[in-house]
Amino acid sequence: VQVQVPDPSLLRLSLPHHFVAMFEESIYALIPPVVHATARQDMYKSKFPTNVAPTATTFGLLGTSAPGVKNVGGQMGAIEGAHRMRKTHATFGKEAEAPKPLMRTSTAFGATGEVGKTFQRATVVAPKPVLPSKAEFSEATMRVAAAQSAAKKNFVQANAIENILSAPKREEGPIDWKKKADFGKVPIYLKNIKREITEEHEYIRAMQEAQAAAAPAGMRLMDEDEKLSLIFDLKTKWDAVNKEYQKHSTLSLASLDTIGKVKRKEAFEAQLAQIEKDIEKLSKPVLWVHSPE
């Protein structure tokens, strides 16, 4: 008899706490609970025989005179009609007969009268390798001879003999650079750079001449040196004026207590602004000025 005890973890979800305590360590579990044994049921066995076709089955009707179904009345025993439900050869096929010889046993054309043999394909024999040519044979012979001689060579003795018979190396003296073929000549890359600079100067001069030829009446093109000199003088003047502007206490509104200080501050600022405008004008690439002629 098998005793089935429920799992306490499953009962914990649905039973009260005093029932759960029966399966755990608790005061309620001092007295063991009464376990009822359940008897195992017998295996189910059908009352119908297993070798009888089911009611209204469609199996086993091929080649018979039965209708579309069989055993409609539900008989318990096998019922055979006027025709057998299985034919004598209803297997995987008719019984096989002994095979006949494929070849004729005639004695015509020199036949021996024996039963012909089956065809057998002739085995293919691998062809022999091609013989090497005379040059290949001599080359292979030389390689074998070299390998044999190298295996028997005494490298220590051979190196000693080679060093004894070799000519001593000459130390190279100092190089005389004056004897070089291009000594004292200008390198080619310097000639190319000089030529490029000359071409660039010629191009600039041609542009200046073209601009001077297209100048308006009474105007001339200002040179680059003259322009840079004027810009330098203006920057020097701007530094001097700015120094005087910073020296006077006219930067804060509290110090502008008189009309003279206000006018002096405005004069410095106007002078600095004018110098900055002049520098901006001279910074242009092309400047036309009045010619004295």
Side-chain angles (χ1 to χ4, degrees), residues 179-193:
K179 294 182 180 180
K180 294 185 67 176
D182 55 350
F183 177 76
K185 298 181 181 180
V186 180
I188 298 176
Y189 74 94
L190 289 179
K191 292 182 179 179
N192 296 334
I193 293 174

Side-chain angles (χ1 to χ4, degrees), residues 188-206:
I188 298 176
Y189 74 94
L190 289 179
K191 292 182 179 179
N192 296 334
I193 293 174
K194 186 176 180 181
R195 177 174 51 79
E196 292 177 359
I197 293 174
T198 304
E199 292 177 356
E200 186 175 356
H201 288 171
E202 291 292 337
Y203 177 73
I204 293 173
R205 184 168 60 254

Side-chain angles (χ1 to χ4, degrees), residues 60-160:
L61 301 177
L62 183 62
T64 65
S65 60
V69 293
K70 179 174 135 181
N71 196 9
V72 180
Q75 288 80 359
M76 300 295 292
I79 300 174
E80 294 291 343
H83 301 280
R84 293 178 57 84
M85 299 175 61
R86 172 179 290 186
K87 296 183 180 181
T88 56
H89 60 274
T91 58
F92 286 99
K94 295 183 179 181
E95 295 182 0
E97 298 177 357
K100 295 181 180 180
L102 300 179
M103 300 294 291
R104 294 183 179 180
T105 59
S106 175
T107 57
F109 301 101
T112 59
E114 299 178 355
V115 178
K117 299 181 180 179
T118 57
F119 174 77
Q120 294 182 356
R121 186 180 297 275
T123 57
V124 179
V125 181
K128 294 183 180 180
V130 182
L131 295 176
S133 60
K134 186 176 181 180
E136 293 176 352
F137 179 75
S138 59
E139 184 179 357
T141 305
M142 292 175 61
R143 285 201 301 267
V144 172
Q148 293 177 355
S149 61
K152 300 178 182 179
K153 182 179 180 181
N154 189 353
F155 290 95
V156 177
Q157 185 178 1
N159 291 337

Side-chain angles (χ1 to χ4, degrees), residues 214-285:
M219 304 291 289
R220 67 176 180 85
L221 184 65
M222 182 180 290
D223 297 337
E224 190 68 22
D225 297 338
E226 184 180 1
K227 186 192 302 182
L228 295 177
S229 177
L230 290 175
I231 291 174
F232 178 77
D233 294 341
L234 289 174
K235 288 183 178 180
T236 304
K237 185 177 180 181
W238 187 91
D239 292 337
V241 174
N242 187 44
K243 186 176 181 180
E244 293 293 332
Y245 178 64
Q246 299 289 339
K247 188 184 297 183
H248 295 81
S249 58
T250 58
L251 298 179
S252 61
L253 297 177
S255 62
L256 301 177
D257 52 355
T258 60
I259 298 175
K261 292 182 179 181
V262 174
K263 291 184 177 180
R264 192 178 301 110
K265 177 177 178 299
E266 292 177 354
F268 281 131
E269 291 177 352
Q271 191 173 4
L272 290 174
Q274 184 62 36
I275 294 173
E276 291 175 357
K277 289 182 180 180
D278 295 341
I279 293 174
E280 185 179 358
K281 289 182 179 179
L282 290 174
S283 299
K284 294 181 180 181

